[in-house]
Amino acid sequence: MTDHAPAIRPRRSVLYMPGINTRAMEKAKTLDCDGVILDLEDAVAPQDKEEARRRVAEAVTAGGFGHREIAIRVNRLDTPWGRDDVAAAVAAGPDALLLPKVESAAELDELAALAARHGGADIPLWAMIETPRGVFAAPEIAAHPRLAVLVMGTSDLAKELNARHVPGRTPFLYALERCMLAARAAGRAILDGVFLDLADEEGLAAECRQGRELGFDGKTLIHPKQIAAANAAFAPSAAEVEEARAVIAAYEEALAAGRGVAVLNGRLVENLHVDMARRTLALHDAITRR
């Protein structure tokens, strides 16, 4: 029943790892996360930038990350380190390059051209939305032909807005929803921002649920202890999988009987519900294969 489902890459949990921390990067190979962002930007002090670049390149070149999607967050190209970061990252061969604080599609043009000059013409690009300008430019950024994933940077956005992190994230809902609309309009994946309070497990679970309800594909994380909550929230539950199978079966039965719609448990089932059910099963299957 999932033969027509689109290929989906799970991105429930994507963990930031400081590029200077070799031990942490090695540990990432054993964690139950869907992806890892090896960070050369905010998590690395200026005096450690070059050493972190070397360590990240060595870690990615050595491999061993298994199914985990590996993105390298480079420094912006207008910094002293960004262009050398891109050269080293492309040579190492990660799954994606992540550019921070993107505010225009032109910045992705520049990154794509630089990556191509170093042999990375096909490497997917991820873009962080962390500023008011980035939020307003989200539609053009998401539509860039090389972009694969939008990543919300809610910590920097809070600083730019002079806003506070509060339960329910009211100060950020417009930005989250605008970027979600931009991503979906362009057919891109989108990851939610980080949750900063490592001691607040209930708060983390609630924010993961909210992210799933808003439509995010997964959540960026700052600590391995957050992985389980993200994996649980952004994966179809057993009940959702069962319902998806029932929806498809009911619709196929209706089609066989010459009807264009079906009724399941008193609810109308149309083609759009079948598309959603197939996506649910495709995601479930992709997670199960891991």
Side-chain angles (χ1 to χ4, degrees):
M1 286 187 292
T2 61
D3 291 347
H4 303 291
I8 289 178
R9 183 162 198 168
R11 294 186 174 100
R12 301 164 296 167
S13 51
V14 179
L15 178 65
Y16 286 102
M17 285 287 188
I20 196 65
N21 192 332
T22 302
R23 183 177 177 183
M25 289 189 286
E26 190 65 25
K27 183 178 180 180
K29 300 176 183 180
T30 69
L31 298 174
D32 191 27
C33 52
D34 290 332
V36 178
I37 296 172
L38 303 180
D39 190 14
L40 298 176
E41 195 219 10
D42 282 348
V44 180
Q47 66 270 19
D48 294 327
K49 295 285 190 182
E50 293 185 5
E51 177 62 20
R53 180 193 304 140
R54 184 187 67 79
R55 294 185 184 186
V56 166
E58 286 183 354
V60 174
T61 300
F65 290 94
H67 68 266
R68 299 160 194 84
E69 190 172 16
I70 303 301
I72 296 178
R73 181 163 74 167
V74 299
N75 288 278
R76 284 180 52 83
L77 302 186
D78 56 3
T79 69
W81 313 284
R83 293 181 176 277
D84 288 337
D85 287 349
V86 173
V90 169
D95 296 302
L97 298 179
L98 173 58
L99 188 65
K101 299 178 179 65
V102 178
E103 295 185 334
S104 71
E107 294 174 40
L108 295 180
D109 286 336
E110 186 180 10
L111 176 60
L114 181 59
R117 286 201 293 273
H118 293 286
D122 298 323
I123 190 167
L125 306 182
W126 294 11
M128 293 202 69
I129 306 298
E130 308 181 74
T131 67
R133 288 181 184 273
V135 171
F136 284 127
E140 69 170 80
I141 293 168
H144 192 279
R146 289 286 301 282
L147 187 84
V149 180
L150 278 184
V151 182
M152 296 305 303
T154 46
S155 294
D156 275 272
L157 187 58
K159 177 181 70 99
E160 294 286 333
L161 298 176
N162 194 28
R164 295 183 178 182
H165 294 280
V166 295
R169 296 194 289 181
T170 302
F172 309 106
L173 287 181
Y174 171 77
L176 294 172
E177 292 170 351
R178 179 179 173 87
C179 293
M180 171 61 65
L181 288 168
R184 296 307 185 221
R188 311 304 187 206
I190 181 168
L191 298 175
D192 200 358
V194 299
F195 184 78
L196 297 173
D197 189 346
L198 294 178
D200 186 1
E201 295 183 3
E202 290 185 5
L204 171 64
E207 194 163 294
C208 286
R209 285 194 302 271
Q210 182 195 44
R212 169 80 183 279
E213 290 165 359
L214 287 171
F216 284 94
D217 296 287
K219 193 163 185 65
T220 49
L221 311 172
I222 59 172
H223 194 280
K225 68 185 293 185
Q226 298 178 321
I227 293 172
N231 282 350
F234 290 96
S237 67
E240 289 172 323
V241 171
E242 182 179 353
E243 181 181 10
R245 289 175 175 151
V247 164
I248 294 171
Y251 188 72
E252 290 179 347
E253 182 179 341
L255 289 182
R259 303 190 304 273
V261 296
V263 176
L264 178 66
N265 299 326
R267 291 182 292 115
L268 195 68
V269 174
E270 300 179 283
N271 189 51
L272 67 94
H273 302 111
V274 176
D275 289 343
M276 294 169 65
R278 285 178 173 151
R279 187 187 187 284
T280 294
L281 293 188
L283 179 57
H284 170 72
D285 291 346
I287 294 169
T288 301
R289 285 194 296 270
R290 296 190 171 185

